[in-house]
């Protein structure tokens, strides 16, 4: 592989105009596709195989025209202190608002009048009008949303407090200025790392091009593939992070090769042949983790994973082709100012020029002072047990809150307190009880009822027994379809939708329904948003272990091929598990317990999003393996070329610690930029990924990895002979490339190339 990538790098450098033109053309085509694409048809959310989804599908069949998936809005009215919603003036204002809602948009299906639907609180001060639409929330036109807001203004003008909730107000999440700040921090880190504006700008430019192509393609296909609104946000988040990092490693290796005295085209080829190999395998681990989300069998999560994986593939291809092409355009301007003033730097300069700081050959015999990476590696080698215990115990303490993890999906109760959705949620909770915001829907299917049994008798029994359960506030009378074989009931819990009590109630109703089904033959299904959330959490919990086994297993095999070792991949997997559990602990502490919630702008604590654990496992595993591959590959390269195990660790840190540190800071800043999102899901993902990268890069890869390698010594690179024969030799460390180029290398380079490899 190294030889192929070497040739690819040299080709891209020589034919840089052609390569750059291709990428610009792809960006233009993707942009045109996004600009001319139709709006997404829907933002559907289905969970195949769950009871809640089966009930929704049954409703569509048995109650045609009801549009169970249509958007809904609740316009909540609150009378001033001392007044009632039945007062003539207030009633007239509500009726005018209801009329305005009915006539305001052709997308409105029906509006339930509060007075005819008896939607009045016991104290008479709160009422609500239910608006049902013919289309989903993301199909609502701006005119329909404006009509909803205008109707609410009419009620406010009459002296009532009016707030609006429901999924009709769905909007694409906003990330705010913090995303821009994250990119700005990345730029500063790159300038400090490279000491040259051109070199610092290349990773940012190529990452933005890659994200532009990826997100534009997602936008162009969103209508055809029914992609959710968060898909492009996730692709942007991951695409920026890996795009900058992959380009950073290629540019850094290129400058190191130039610093050793090689011509620029040769340096570009060698950079792509060595660091590019690590980029390919690092990208593969991310892709495996993201594509592996398909095993969860949640369409929205699958599409998010595949779209993000596509963006990662684009980032890898850009790093291998566009980066060497742009380095060709940049010329000597990609080097630090000192190196440009000194002329061609490197070992060829016998006068003692320093070359590129932190990127020269690094041998102290040549007079170069040890850098921070060297000093840290030697510190760890002297005290491996102390460093290992400190890092593991520290991460273990941070992971403790994860034992209290509670899962759920966000609703209007998790919205910021200044939004109308949250205000409507609170008004309904105060007026009708906490469970009113999360009613359960029971569907009684009597088509296969036993002889002598009817759906009416089965539904009556269901209603009677459910009323007797704990935490039930209200059970509505059943309504029947035209065929008379299906009934529908609503159950209002006493507790709020995201509570453990409501989850227990869902399970209790299903247990009760199973007993009734055995006696009558009429099955009862529980659905509704709350029941769907419960089913999602259960499905994700059940899928976590198989998903973890699949992803870690495939990546373990991949890393065995890369490092030709058994213990190094095992150590990498165990270190990842430690960092991801610690990250989950931090997420629980902030978003569930409320620690430092004001610092991160968390206005409402509650259960952790159901998708968070499995999503973090997938994304963080792929990103964590990036640093493992980049850092340990350099150690492996040194070991294969004759250095002792301890020396190889020092060499790996000498060349890689500074770049890996910069890459981690960049990735953390990019993810942290999404903490400013208005969407609680995006905010939580941004925080979780940022803290996970921090733990993995600085504690696991920088502390645990060298400590374990120091303790293992030469056995870290052990591989059974029979396994050596089975595994393909992909030559990530470039040994074959180095041997092949030995005939054309000069001086010390040729001598180094002829050193026997010791494995």
């Amino acid at each position: 592989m190294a030889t192929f990538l070497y040739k690819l790098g040299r080709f891209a450098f020589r034919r840089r105009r052609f390569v750059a033109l291709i990428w610009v053309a792809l960006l233009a085509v993707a942009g045109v596709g996004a600009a001319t694409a139709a709006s997404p048809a829907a933002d559907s959310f289905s969970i195949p195989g769950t009871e809640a989804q089966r009930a929704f599908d049954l409703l569509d069949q048995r109650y045609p025209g009801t549009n169970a998936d249509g958007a809904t809005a609740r316009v909540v009215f609150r009378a001033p202190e001392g007044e009632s919603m039945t007062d003539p003036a207030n009633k007239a204002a509500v009726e005018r608002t209801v009329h305005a809602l009915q006539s305001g948009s052709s997308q409105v299906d029906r509006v339930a009048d509060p007075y005819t639907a008896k939607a009045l609180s016991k104290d008479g001060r709160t009422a609500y009008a239910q608006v049902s639409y013919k289309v989903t929330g993301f199909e609502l036109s701006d005119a329909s949303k404006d009509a909803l807001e205008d109707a609410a203004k009419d009620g406010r003008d009459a002296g009532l407090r009016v707030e609006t909730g429901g999924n009709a107000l769905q909007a694409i999440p906003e990330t705010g200025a913090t995303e821009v700040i994250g990119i700005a921090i990345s730029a500063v880190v790159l300038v400090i790392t490279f000491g040259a504006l051109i070199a610092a700008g290349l990773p940012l430019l190529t990452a933005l091009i890659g994200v532009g192509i990826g997100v534009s393609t997602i936008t162009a296909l969103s209508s055809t593939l029914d992609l959710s609104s968060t898909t492009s946000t996730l692709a942007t988040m991951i695409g920026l992070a890996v795009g900058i990092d992959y380009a950073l490693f290629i540019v850094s290796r290129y400058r190191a090769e130039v610093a050793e005295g090689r011509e620029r085209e040769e340096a570009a080829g060698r950079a792509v042949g060595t660091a590019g190999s690590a980029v390919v395998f690092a990208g593969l681990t991310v892709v495996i983790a993201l594509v592996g989300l398909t095993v969860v069998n949640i369409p929205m999560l699958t599409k998010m994973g595949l779209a993000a994986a596509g963006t990662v593939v684009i980032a890898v291809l850009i790093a291998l082709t566009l980066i060497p092409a742009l380095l060709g355009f940049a010329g000597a301007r990609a080097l630090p100012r000192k190196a440009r003033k000194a002329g061609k730097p490197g070992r060829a300069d016998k006068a003692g020029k320093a070359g590129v700081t932190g990127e020269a050959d690094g041998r102290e015999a040549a007079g170069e002072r040890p850098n921070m990476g060297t000093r840290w590696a030697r510190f760890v080698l002297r005290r491996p047990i102390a460093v290992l215990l400190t890092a593991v115990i520290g991460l273990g303490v941070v992971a403790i809150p994860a034992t209290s993890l509670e899962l759920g999906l966000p609703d209007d109760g998790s919205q910021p307190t200044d939004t109308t959705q949250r205000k409507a949620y609170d008004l309904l909770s105060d007026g009708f009880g906490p469970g009113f915001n999360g009613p359960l829907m029971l569907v009684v299917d009597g088509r296969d009822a036993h002889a002598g049994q009817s759906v009416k008798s089965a539904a009556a029994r269901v209603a009677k027994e459910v009323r007797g359960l704990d935490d039930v506030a209200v059970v509505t009378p059943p309504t029947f379809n035209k065929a008379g074989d299906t009934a529908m009931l609503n159950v209002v819990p006493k507790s709020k939708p995201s509570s453990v009590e409501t989850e227990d109630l869902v399970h209790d109703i299903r247990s009760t329904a199973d007993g009734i089904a055995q006696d009558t033959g009429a099955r009862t299904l529980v659905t509704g948003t709350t029941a769907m959330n419960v089913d999602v959490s259960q499905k994700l919990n059940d899928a976590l272990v198989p998903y973890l086994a699949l992803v870690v297993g495939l990546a373990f095999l991949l890393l065995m091929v890369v490092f030709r070792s058994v213990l190094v991949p095992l150590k990498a997997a165990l270190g990842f598990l430690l960092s991801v559990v610690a990250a989950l602990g931090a997420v629980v502490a902030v978003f569930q317990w409320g620690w430092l919630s004001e610092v991160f702008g968390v206005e409402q604590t509650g259960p952790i999003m159901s998708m968070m654990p499995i999503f973090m496992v997938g994304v963080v595993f792929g990103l964590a393996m990036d640093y493992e591959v980049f850092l340990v590959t350099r150690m492996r390269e040194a070991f294969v070329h004759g250095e002792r195990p301890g020396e190889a660790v020092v060499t790996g840190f000498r060349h890689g610690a500074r770049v890996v540190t910069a890459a981690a800071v960049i990735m953390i800043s990019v993810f942290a930029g999404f903490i400013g999102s208005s969407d609680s899901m995006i905010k939580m993902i941004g925080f979780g990924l940022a803290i996970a990268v921090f733990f993995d890069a600085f504690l696991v890869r920088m502390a645990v990895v060298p400590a374990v390698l120091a303790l293992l010594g030469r056995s870290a690179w052990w591989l059974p002979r029979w396994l050596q024969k089975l595994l393909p030799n992909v030559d990530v460390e470039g040994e074959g490339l180095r041997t092949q180029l030995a005939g054309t290398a000069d001086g010390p380079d040729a001598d180094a190339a002829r050193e026997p490899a010791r494995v």
Side-chain angles (χ1 to χ4, degrees):
M1 173 182 288
T3 303
F4 169 76
L5 294 178
Y6 166 79
K7 294 178 181 178
L8 178 64
R10 295 196 62 167
F11 172 82
F13 188 95
R14 285 196 310 271
R15 305 296 299 275
R16 45 188 173 272
R17 290 181 177 81
F18 173 71
V19 172
L21 182 62
I22 288 178
W23 283 110
V24 170
L26 288 175
L27 180 61
V29 170
V32 171
T36 58
S39 300
D43 193 46
S44 58
F45 184 78
S46 62
I47 312 295
T50 61
E51 180 175 320
Q53 187 63 49
R54 291 197 300 271
F56 271 127
D57 296 340
L58 186 63
L59 284 173
D60 287 338
Q61 297 172 11
R62 305 289 175 85
Y63 291 84
T66 57
N67 192 21
D69 294 331
T72 59
R74 278 179 173 174
V75 182
V76 186
F77 306 89
R78 179 76 167 175
E81 188 72 33
E83 297 183 16
S84 171
M85 291 304 304
T86 56
D87 293 346
N90 293 337
K91 185 175 181 179
V94 171
E95 289 175 345
R96 287 196 302 270
T97 302
V98 170
H99 177 73
L101 290 169
Q102 290 173 330
S103 59
S105 171
S106 60
Q107 292 181 320
V108 173
D109 186 15
R110 60 187 180 277
V111 181
D113 185 281
Y115 300 100
T116 58
K118 298 181 180 180
L120 295 171
S121 62
K122 290 182 179 180
D123 62 3
R125 289 191 59 200
T126 307
Y128 70 91
Q130 180 96 1
V131 185
S132 300
Y133 291 89
K134 301 173 184 177
V135 296
T136 62
F138 278 86
E139 292 176 295
L140 278 181
S141 64
D142 291 338
S144 295
K145 294 181 180 180
D146 291 341
L148 184 61
E149 294 178 1
D150 292 341
K153 289 179 182 178
D154 293 340
R156 294 189 187 102
D157 293 341
L160 299 174
R161 182 181 176 186
V162 185
E163 305 293 348
T164 308
N167 59 13
L169 299 179
Q170 294 179 97
I172 296 176
E174 298 179 357
T175 54
T178 52
E179 181 184 349
V180 179
I181 294 174
I183 296 177
I185 293 174
S186 302
V188 172
V189 173
L190 288 169
V191 171
I192 294 173
T193 302
F194 288 131
L197 289 176
I198 296 296
L202 288 181
L204 281 175
L205 174 63
T206 55
L208 290 174
I209 291 174
V211 169
I213 294 173
V215 172
S216 297
T217 303
I218 291 170
T219 303
L221 298 176
S222 59
S223 178
T224 305
L225 302 180
D226 188 21
L227 301 177
S228 70
S229 58
T230 54
T231 301
S232 59
T233 306
L234 174 64
T236 301
M237 188 186 302
I238 296 178
L240 274 176
V242 301
I244 294 174
D245 278 6
Y246 294 166
L248 170 64
F249 284 105
I250 297 289
V251 174
S252 176
R253 188 60 182 255
Y254 166 80
R255 285 155 54 104
E257 296 291 339
V258 172
E260 293 182 3
R262 295 188 176 89
E263 296 296 330
R264 291 202 304 272
E265 181 180 332
E266 177 68 12
R270 293 193 179 221
V272 176
T274 51
S277 298
V279 165
V280 170
F281 281 94
L284 277 176
T285 59
V286 181
V287 169
I288 287 173
L290 291 171
V291 172
L293 291 171
T294 56
V295 304
V296 184
N297 195 26
I298 294 180
M300 186 183 79
L301 196 59
T302 297
K303 293 171 184 177
M304 288 172 64
L306 292 175
T311 308
V312 172
V313 171
I314 293 172
V316 171
L317 294 176
I318 282 180
L320 299 178
T321 57
L322 186 57
I323 283 292
L326 294 180
L327 287 172
F329 286 116
R333 289 172 295 177
L335 303 175
R337 187 178 303 170
K338 290 182 180 179
R340 294 199 299 270
K341 289 181 178 179
K344 180 184 282 189
R347 293 179 303 179
D349 189 349
K350 303 297 183 181
K353 294 186 177 71
V356 182
T357 304
E359 294 175 9
D361 184 73
R363 298 188 181 278
E364 294 176 30
E368 182 181 338
R369 295 175 59 188
N371 58 22
M372 285 295 296
T374 302
R375 290 193 288 269
W376 171 251
R378 288 176 175 169
F379 173 81
V380 176
L381 289 175
R382 289 195 300 268
R383 301 173 181 84
I385 296 178
V387 171
L388 180 62
L389 290 178
T390 301
V392 171
I393 293 173
L395 289 171
V397 170
V398 178
I400 290 175
T403 58
S404 301
L405 178 67
E406 296 178 7
L407 299 177
L409 287 180
D411 54 21
D412 283 348
S414 62
Q415 295 281 350
T417 53
D418 59 347
T419 61
T420 187
Q421 298 99 312
R422 174 61 186 277
K423 293 175 181 177
Y425 180 96
D426 291 339
L427 287 176
L428 290 172
S429 295
D430 294 341
F432 299 91
F436 192 79
N437 284 291
L440 304 174
M441 186 183 297
L442 275 58
V443 183
V444 182
D445 180 10
R447 182 166 291 184
D448 297 324
H450 297 159
Q453 298 287 339
S454 67
V455 69
K456 290 185 177 180
S457 61
R461 182 175 170 184
V462 169
K464 179 181 178 181
E465 295 197 18
V466 169
R467 283 192 188 99
L469 296 175
D470 294 337
D471 205 53
V472 172
V474 176
V475 178
T476 64
T479 58
F480 301 91
N481 66 340
K482 292 182 179 180
D485 58 3
T486 308
M488 184 171 58
L489 307 84
N490 288 321
V491 178
V492 178
K494 293 179 181 177
S495 303
K496 63 180 182 178
S498 58
S499 66
V500 177
E501 291 81 5
T502 301
E503 182 178 349
D504 292 339
L505 177 61
V506 171
H507 296 308
D508 291 342
I509 293 175
R510 286 173 173 168
S511 297
T512 301
D514 289 341
I516 296 174
Q518 292 179 0
D519 295 338
T520 64
R523 61 172 182 154
T524 301
L525 304 176
V526 184
T527 190
T529 302
T530 302
M532 182 69 82
N533 291 351
V534 172
D535 288 350
V536 169
S537 298
Q538 186 62 50
K539 191 176 182 69
L540 289 168
N541 285 338
D542 293 342
L544 182 58
V545 173
Y547 171 71
L548 194 61
L550 173 67
V551 172
V552 175
L554 289 176
F556 181 84
L557 293 175
L558 185 65
L559 292 177
M560 273 207 304
V561 172
V562 173
F563 297 126
R564 303 196 69 78
S565 164
V566 174
L567 296 180
V568 170
L570 180 62
K571 172 262 306 170
L574 294 177
F576 151 74
L577 293 175
L578 186 61
S579 60
V580 79
V581 173
L584 278 176
V587 170
V588 170
V590 174
F591 289 87
Q592 185 175 311
W593 291 0
W595 293 5
L596 300 176
S597 57
E598 294 182 359
V599 175
F600 297 103
V602 180
E603 297 187 18
Q604 179 64 38
T605 60
I608 303 304
M609 183 184 63
S610 299
M611 296 183 185
M612 195 66 186
I614 200 164
F615 184 80
M616 281 189 65
V617 166
V619 177
V620 176
F621 181 80
L623 299 179
M625 293 305 104
D626 280 3
Y627 302 116
E628 179 75 16
V629 171
F630 288 129
L631 192 60
V632 181
T633 296
R634 206 65 190 260
M635 299 178 191
R636 167 76 182 175
E637 182 179 346
F639 179 76
V640 166
H641 292 152
E643 294 188 11
R644 294 191 301 272
E647 292 175 343
V649 172
V650 174
T651 299
F653 271 82
R654 178 189 301 125
H655 292 291
R658 185 184 185 192
V659 180
V660 168
T661 299
V665 172
I666 289 169
M667 194 171 284
I668 290 169
S669 63
V670 170
F671 289 149
F674 290 84
I675 297 176
S677 173
S678 60
D679 185 270
S680 59
M681 174 179 171
I682 300 299
K683 182 188 293 287
M684 191 179 297
I685 289 175
F687 173 82
L689 294 182
I691 198 70
V693 170
F694 173 80
F695 289 153
D696 196 87
F698 294 109
L699 294 180
V700 174
R701 307 304 154 190
M702 293 289 189
V704 173
V705 167
V708 171
L709 290 177
L711 293 172
L712 292 176
R714 187 173 295 273
S715 60
W717 308 106
W718 170 79
L719 186 69
R721 290 187 178 275
W722 62 270
L723 198 53
Q724 290 184 26
K725 297 178 180 178
L726 291 178
L727 294 179
N729 186 1
V730 294
D731 189 26
V732 176
E733 64 274 359
E735 180 186 357
L737 173 63
R738 188 167 178 155
T739 302
Q740 180 178 335
L741 297 175
T744 59
D746 296 322
D749 222 24
D751 296 336
R754 297 183 184 97
E755 289 181 6
R758 298 188 305 191
V759 181

